[in-house]
């Protein structure tokens, strides 16, 4: 197939779009692949659509290979099923809600667990119908708080979502593993450097869950890995608690003066000055941070988090742990409601043993602690009196937390929870997410089948998503350079960009002939037949990013044309009657078998 650039609906831009923060966004817009319609909402132009279709084809092939069948649900959905599972409320401001002319609530689907569950319930009644895997490639809508980076985080985006239905846990495990393997093949074929990490299930519910992250500096996700092979999204890291210590060995509580010590560092300095004999650090202190938690139904409750003073509460870990509720730091007005709390010197307990934090305490504020705060550990913390701190405040003796909340920041060099060595941190973009949902949705919506013994059993489900439009951007992000896009052969809108330069008619005739011959051999050709300067044509070819570039120009008089690689920038002259076989050889080396 040949497309003449003079006919193609495209305009390349010389300037970056004002809101472009990352290379994929900048170049997809500048090269004329996508155009912004509204914040987080994009239109696809011919070049972009071709890449999108190639990504979809890879996904369809791998879904077919595991026996998943393609369907398509509407994007405009009724409220009731989402009400039944609680997600109408849990999704909060993240769903686009619509009221139809009769006043009925509807939504634009953010994900389709409910609809698939109901469809299978409608049609299937027996264990003999299972296992079943269904998928769709479809437009999803989420009113993201922070749409950014073009296609990477849109408010309208394309997702491949599949759902598996099994009669028992072993079946679910097998369906999950099949999807996991298919996802590995998909991301390998997309040419992405990716890791599979343990993930949080979030609003989705369910148990086992993993994410496929493309390793990219501009990613929004932080993940950890250890030399021994532990990997996790930072949100999902579960800190291994240390061994408990005998309470009898703990020192008694003691107050000491800390005038104007408004920070952990200041407290540590005073400790080392006034209580010498050992080296005190921030890790010896217990910091208490207050949050106001808002439940999806709008109810509010206070929460205190106790963690080692050398750590901060990590906003993303907190967000993931609290979801679908939202925790925000206590404001001045919140503190006014608890006059007994002495800001800067907060403590779960006072010197006389009165509990200050915890459901059973005078404030009744729920108190959750970091996993490192185990029974028998003793801490320096506030005295709940201005300018005073306490030493020897011992967990399990002086205070008891209401539970554990694992939301402290995870650092480079922290031990992996499974003992497999120090953690290294890196950034990535979530490309895919697989979940074992279990029976949550089937239970809420009544999806049951008859088992072998004629007994009704609730079906167990998995849910598996790939960001299809995000994948286009992630590949662009990982391959673009300072000149523009740079596609692998498997995803490029065209395999070869043939450029005719100069004014001579013979050059244009020869260039078109080469394009024709390559096309006849099964390659897709973009032919720059425009009356433009060579500089403009070369720049456009670099911005647009086709992997193989053939330049027909002045050298033709000497019987040569130029063959360029977009990826390496290498150029070499090739005799004109060898160019077709040469291009075919380059394509074959890149994994593309031409006819
Ligand atoms: P994220 O953590 O990035 O918000 P998510 O956990 O909400 O994603 P899922 O519900 O697991 O995402 O959706 C499945 C896949 O859809 C994700 O792995 C991602 O590739 C893609 N995706 C999710 N949200 C967006 C978005 N706003 N824009 C583009 N792709 C998205
Ligand atoms: Mg996810």
């Amino acid at each position: 197939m040949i497309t003449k650039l003079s006919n193609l609906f495209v305009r390349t831009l010389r300037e970056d779009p004002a809101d472009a923060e990352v290379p994929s966004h900048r170049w997809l817009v500048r090269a004329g692949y996508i155009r912004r319609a509204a914040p987080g909402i994009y239109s696809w132009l011919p070049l972009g659509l071709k890449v999108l279709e190639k990504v979809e084809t890879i996904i369809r092939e791998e879904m077919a290979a595991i026996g998943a069948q393609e369907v398509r649900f509407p994007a405009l959905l009724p409220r009731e099923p989402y009400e039944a599972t609680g997600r109408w409320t849990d999704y909060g401001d993240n769903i686009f809600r619509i009221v139809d002319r009769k006043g009925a609530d509807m939504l634009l689907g953010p994900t389709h667990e409910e609809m698939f569950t109901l469809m299978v319930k409608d049609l299937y009644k027996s264990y003999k119908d299972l296992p079943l895997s269904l998928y769709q490639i479809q437009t999803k809508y989420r009113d993201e708080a922070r749409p950014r980076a073009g296609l990477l985080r849109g408010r309208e985006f394309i997702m491949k979502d599949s759902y598996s239905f099994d009669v028992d846990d072993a079946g679910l495990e097998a369906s999950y593993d099949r999807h996991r393997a298919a996802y590995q093949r998909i991301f390998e074929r997309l040419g992405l450097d990716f890791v599979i990490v343990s993930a949080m299930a979030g609003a989705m519910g369910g148990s086992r869950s993993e994410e496929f992250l493309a390793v990219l500096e501009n990613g929004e996700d932080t993940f950890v890995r250890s030399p021994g092979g532990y990997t996790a999204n930072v949100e999902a890291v579960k800190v291994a608690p240390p061994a408990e210590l005998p309470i009898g060995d703990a020192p008694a509580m003691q107050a000491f003066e800390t005038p104007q010590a408004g920070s952990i560092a200041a407290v540590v300095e005073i400790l080392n000055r006034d209580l010498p004999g050992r080296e005190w650090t921030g890790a010896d202190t217990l910091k208490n941070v207050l949050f106001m938690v808002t439940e999806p139904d709008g109810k509010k409750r206070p929460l205190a988090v106790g963690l080692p003073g050398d750590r901060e509460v990590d906003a993303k870990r907190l967000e993931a742990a609290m979801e679908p509720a939202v925790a925000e730091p206590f404001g001045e007005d919140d503190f006014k409601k608890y006059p007994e709390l002495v800001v800067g010197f907060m403590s779960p307990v006072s010197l006389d043993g009165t509990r200050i934090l915890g459901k059973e305490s005078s404030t009744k504020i729920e108190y959750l602690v970091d996993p490192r705060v185990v029974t028998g550990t003793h801490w320096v913390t506030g005295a709940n009196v201005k300018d005073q701190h306490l030493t020897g405040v011992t967990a399990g003796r002086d205070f008891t937390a209401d539970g554990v909340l694992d939301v402290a920041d995870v650092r480079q060099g922290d031990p992996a929870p499974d003992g497999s060595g120090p953690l290294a941190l890196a950034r990535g973009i979530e490309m895919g997410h697989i979940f074992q949902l279990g029976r949550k949705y089937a239970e809420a919506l009544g999806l049951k089948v008859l088992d072998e013994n004629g007994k009704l059993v609730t079906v167990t489900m998995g849910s598996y998503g790939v960001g299809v439009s995000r994948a286009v951007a992630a590949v662009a992000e990982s391959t673009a350079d300072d000149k523009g896009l740079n596609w692998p052969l498997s995803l490029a809108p065209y395999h070869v960009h043939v450029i005719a330069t100069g004014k001579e008619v013979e050059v244009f005739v020869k260039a078109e002939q080469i394009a024709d011959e390559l096309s006849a051999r099964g390659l897709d050709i973009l032919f720059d037949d425009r009356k433009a300067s060579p500089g403009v044509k070369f720049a456009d070819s670099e911005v647009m990013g086709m992997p193989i570039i053939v330049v027909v120009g002045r050298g033709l008089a000497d019987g040569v044309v130029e063959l360029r690689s977009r990826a390496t920038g290498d150029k070499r002259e090739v005799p004109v009657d060898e160019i077709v076989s040469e291009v075919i050889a380059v394509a074959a080396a890149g994994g593309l078998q031409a006819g």
Side-chain angles (χ1 to χ4, degrees):
M1 188 237 330
I2 302 181
T3 298
K4 289 185 173 167
L5 204 34
S6 60
N7 288 335
L8 183 64
F9 184 57
V10 68
R11 280 288 174 274
T12 55
L13 309 178
R14 299 273 163 258
E15 303 288 330
D16 287 343
D19 57 343
E21 304 160 36
V22 299
S24 58
H25 183 193
R26 173 188 317 143
W27 293 119
L28 287 168
V29 172
R30 279 187 54 179
Y33 282 60
I34 57 169
R35 291 294 288 170
R36 194 182 90 133
I41 306 179
Y42 288 83
S43 309
W44 295 81
L45 300 181
L47 288 172
L49 210 46
K50 280 181 179 293
V51 181
L52 180 66
E53 280 163 3
K54 290 190 178 191
V55 172
E56 291 183 0
T57 299
I58 289 174
I59 294 172
R60 286 199 170 93
E61 287 172 3
E62 296 303 337
M63 284 295 107
I66 61 166
Q69 300 174 62
E70 185 167 3
V71 295
R72 190 166 306 168
F73 281 74
L76 181 60
L77 302 171
R79 166 179 174 161
E80 291 71 25
Y82 287 79
E83 189 71 57
T85 59
R87 292 210 292 184
W88 174 262
T89 312
D90 287 357
Y91 257 105
D93 289 340
N94 279 332
I95 24 182
F96 283 101
R97 297 159 202 267
I98 292 174
V99 181
D100 74 9
R101 63 166 74 203
K102 295 193 177 122
D105 280 328
M106 308 199 72
L107 67 145
L108 293 174
T111 175
H112 279 66
E113 279 74 7
E114 285 81 351
M115 303 311 292
F116 277 77
T117 308
L118 287 175
M119 178 71 88
V120 174
K121 177 186 173 182
D122 256 0
L123 300 178
Y124 276 8
K125 306 287 173 222
S126 160
Y127 75 96
K128 289 183 202 147
D129 299 324
L130 305 181
L132 172 70
S133 281
L134 298 174
Y135 78 97
Q136 63 177 348
I137 293 179
Q138 192 230 24
T139 306
K140 295 279 191 276
Y141 297 86
R142 295 182 185 177
D143 197 359
E144 299 274 359
R146 291 172 291 275
R148 69 176 278 276
L151 300 176
L152 285 177
R153 181 170 298 283
R155 296 196 297 162
E156 174 180 295
F157 59 98
I158 300 164
M159 196 201 286
K160 186 286 300 179
D161 45 326
S162 5
Y163 305 87
S164 66
F165 301 85
D166 282 277
V167 75
D168 55 25
D169 295 352
L172 169 58
E173 195 70 28
S175 295
Y176 181 92
D177 287 341
R178 269 196 299 278
H179 271 91
R180 194 178 190 275
Y183 276 33
Q184 282 175 285
R185 285 190 296 272
I186 289 169
F187 297 119
E188 273 160 21
R189 288 180 65 183
L190 292 177
L192 291 168
D193 173 18
F194 69 95
V195 291
I196 306 177
V197 302
S198 323
M200 296 278 287
M204 214 63 97
S207 53
R208 187 171 168 206
S209 153
E210 289 167 295
E211 286 168 353
F212 291 71
L213 303 182
V215 182
L216 285 165
E217 265 171 47
N218 288 321
E220 283 180 78
D221 284 273
T222 305
F223 68 95
V224 297
R225 44 184 160 187
S226 76
Y230 174 85
T231 57
N233 191 309
V234 84
E235 295 165 5
V237 170
K238 297 249 177 302
V239 170
E244 294 186 358
L245 301 172
I247 285 185
D249 294 354
M253 270 207 289
Q254 234 168 2
F256 69 106
E257 301 290 319
T258 49
Q260 267 112 48
S263 67
I264 299 287
V267 173
V268 170
E269 204 183 305
I270 296 171
L271 282 165
N272 282 314
R273 188 192 64 204
D274 294 353
L275 303 171
R278 57 160 291 190
E279 165 81 12
W280 298 92
T281 71
D284 297 313
T285 68
L286 180 67
K287 168 156 89 185
N288 302 293
V289 190
L290 283 166
F291 295 93
M292 189 54 76
V293 178
T294 310
E295 298 293 345
D297 63 7
K299 284 208 187 79
K300 289 184 186 287
R301 62 185 167 87
L303 169 69
V305 180
L307 71 163
D310 62 334
R311 305 230 169 216
E312 302 297 332
V313 171
D314 179 299
K316 285 195 105 178
R317 277 165 59 73
L318 178 68
E319 188 186 325
M322 300 306 294
E323 210 185 22
V326 175
E328 278 163 314
F330 246 44
E332 250 175 67
D333 287 347
D334 297 318
F335 276 113
K336 276 191 197 136
K337 283 179 218 146
Y338 297 92
E340 63 265 63
L341 297 177
V342 183
V343 181
F345 300 87
M346 243 175 319
S347 169
V349 63
S350 60
L351 187 59
D352 65 7
T354 312
R355 303 291 163 94
I356 295 157
L357 298 174
K359 283 184 180 160
E360 308 291 320
S361 72
S362 55
T363 60
K364 301 203 166 46
I365 296 175
E366 186 182 20
Y367 187 48
L368 301 177
V369 293
D370 184 86
R372 297 167 188 87
V373 186
V374 294
T375 300
T377 53
H378 55 93
W379 305 87
V380 175
T381 193
N384 208 44
V385 173
K386 194 168 167 357
D387 294 341
Q388 274 191 30
H389 276 73
L390 300 174
T391 59
V393 178
T394 301
R397 181 189 70 191
D398 305 319
F399 70 94
T400 335
D402 299 311
V404 170
L405 189 65
D406 196 354
V407 295
D409 57 345
V410 176
R411 301 205 184 131
Q412 187 86 17
D414 279 352
D418 64 354
S420 61
L423 295 176
L425 268 68
R427 295 186 76 83
I429 297 178
E430 182 187 319
M431 303 308 307
H433 197 163
I434 56 180
F435 297 91
Q436 293 192 3
L437 295 175
R439 297 184 174 79
K440 173 178 163 171
Y441 291 86
E443 224 142 62
L445 298 164
L447 169 57
K448 294 179 196 254
V449 293
L450 292 170
D451 74 4
E452 278 166 88
N453 308 315
K455 205 178 99 218
L456 270 179
V457 292
T458 302
V459 169
T460 180
M461 293 171 53
S463 137
Y464 317 90
V466 173
V468 182
S469 45
R470 181 179 282 187
V472 172
V475 174
E477 188 75 26
S478 66
T479 52
D481 58 20
D482 57 355
K483 299 191 182 75
L485 297 169
N486 172 22
W487 298 106
L489 263 176
S490 54
L491 297 176
Y494 297 94
H495 304 119
V496 188
H497 193 139
V498 176
I499 301 174
T501 64
K503 295 207 171 71
E504 283 97 56
V505 178
E506 306 85 76
V507 166
F508 281 76
V509 169
K510 192 68 203 177
E512 184 153 10
Q513 190 193 331
I514 292 168
D516 277 338
E517 284 177 39
L518 288 170
S519 167
R521 304 290 292 273
L523 296 178
D524 292 337
I525 315 298
L526 182 61
F527 174 34
D528 193 346
D529 61 332
R530 294 173 303 173
K531 294 188 172 52
S533 74
V536 166
K537 293 186 171 189
F538 294 151
D540 276 350
S541 74
E542 282 171 336
V543 172
M544 290 179 185
M546 301 328 137
I548 302 171
I549 301 166
V550 174
V551 184
V552 186
R554 225 177 293 147
L556 192 60
D558 304 321
V560 293
V561 296
E562 196 178 77
L563 180 58
R564 297 185 177 186
S565 157
R566 173 67 186 85
T568 64
D570 290 345
K571 305 174 187 176
R572 61 193 160 97
E573 293 196 327
V574 176
V576 65
D577 46 3
E578 288 171 25
I579 186 67
V580 171
S581 54
E582 207 37 52
V583 167
I584 297 217
V586 170
L592 188 83
Q593 293 310 323

